[in-house]
Amino acid sequence: MAEVQQQRSFQKQDAVFLNSKKLLASKSSKGVRYYRSVGLGFKTPKEAIEGTYVDKKCPFTGNVSIRGRILKGVVVSTKMNRTIIIRRDYLHYISKYNRYAKRHQNVPAHVSPAFSVKVGDMAVIGQCRPLSKTVKFNVLKVYPQENRAGGKNAFGMF
């Protein structure tokens, strides 16, 4: 998902000072790149370390910390810019009938340009501070789609 810059202003990482006199000798041809580990057993993607994208909402290269819940679900929409919709399927117990009902919840999540996400992929998301009105999660890992039965709204978790 590493696309060419679309913004008209100069994009730079907040944590990198570009005019340092000390770094001029040791700076590589690509320049200085800020990245970090989010912890919790998630590895920093190779694209986040070697890439050139600038995303202040990325948990690996931006100013966002992951805390709270870690969720897993299926990607159902990638139509928004750097935002995806995750569908989480679960069973709700109805005590009157002593049975379970299938339910689902759609969760919007910010996706870093370090990931290549398609509809049907399984994604792990982590809770962070509110990034917009509806987005409060960030993608931490993506598992490519296997050949699962069913379509977009298939209840595939069970």
Side-chain angles (χ1 to χ4, degrees):
M1 219 174 167
E3 65 268 353
V4 180
Q5 175 182 334
Q6 300 296 323
Q7 299 83 0
R8 296 181 71 183
S9 62
F10 177 68
Q11 300 292 305
K12 76 173 208 62
Q13 290 182 305
D14 287 338
V16 176
F17 181 62
L18 297 176
N19 295 328
S20 175
K21 305 289 189 246
K22 294 177 187 174
L23 290 175
L24 288 177
S26 64
K27 193 189 298 186
S28 66
S29 61
K30 289 185 177 181
V32 180
R33 178 121 176 111
Y34 171 78
Y35 64 92
R36 65 188 178 95
S37 172
V38 296
L40 304 169
F42 294 100
K43 290 186 177 179
T44 305
K46 196 176 211 180
E47 180 64 31
I49 298 170
E50 299 172 357
T52 58
Y53 70 88
V54 175
D55 185 10
K56 65 180 184 178
K57 296 178 182 179
C58 174
F60 305 104
T61 62
N63 185 22
V64 176
S65 62
I66 302 298
R67 79 286 190 281
R69 296 187 177 270
I70 305 292
L71 307 175
K72 194 176 197 179
V74 179
V75 178
V76 293
S77 173
T78 58
K79 295 177 183 176
M80 290 179 276
N81 185 25
R82 293 191 181 177
T83 305
I84 60 174
I85 301 294
I86 303 285
R87 179 185 168 109
R88 299 194 63 234
D89 297 323
Y90 60 96
L91 296 175
H92 177 72
Y93 182 69
I94 300 168
S95 57
K96 179 180 177 182
Y97 299 109
N98 197 22
R99 281 168 172 66
Y100 291 92
K102 292 178 183 176
R103 292 192 178 179
H104 80 276
Q105 206 168 27
N106 286 339
V107 181
H110 179 79
V111 60
S112 167
F115 296 110
S116 177
V117 182
K118 295 188 270 314
V119 174
D121 291 350
M122 187 75 73
V124 177
I125 56 177
Q127 188 179 9
C128 59
R129 64 176 169 83
L131 302 175
S132 69
K133 180 181 173 183
T134 58
V135 178
K136 286 137 186 82
F137 287 88
N138 232 313
V139 174
L140 299 175
K141 191 163 184 143
V142 175
Y143 299 102
Q145 179 183 18
E146 299 116 21
N147 293 331
R148 287 192 285 269
K152 181 178 171 183
N153 291 330
F155 207 76
M157 294 292 283
F158 302 101

